[in-house]
Amino acid sequence: MRGRAEIVFELPDPEIVISALEPELDDDLHRGKVEIRANDNGMVLIVEGDDVVSLRAALNTWLRLVRICVEMVEI
């Protein structure tokens, strides 16, 4: 059973966060797909997993990465 989550982050300058996260997209270790892109209000994170366990693991990882990037931009 595949799972999918789409999360919108309201960010003043999403391109900085996206450029910091782009290298992580090349990681072939996860069992699913991750996409990040800018939208009108900030950034959209789309995570798909081959199963619920992989979706949860990927969401935990990517939400943590986004939080760290946003915190670093605010410093």
Side-chain angles (χ1 to χ4, degrees), residues 23-69:
E24 300 297 325
L25 293 172
D26 294 334
D27 184 9
D28 292 333
L29 297 176
H30 46 80
R31 298 178 313 199
K33 177 183 167 190
V34 177
E35 179 184 341
I36 51 176
R37 65 175 181 257
N39 72 356
D40 295 336
N41 299 330
M43 182 183 81
V44 178
L45 171 68
I46 301 169
V47 180
E48 295 181 5
D50 293 342
D51 50 49
V52 176
V53 173
S54 65
L55 176 62
R56 181 191 57 80
L59 279 171
N60 285 340
T61 299
W62 281 91
L63 290 173
R64 188 172 295 120
L65 287 171
V66 170
R67 186 187 80 215
I68 291 167
C69 287

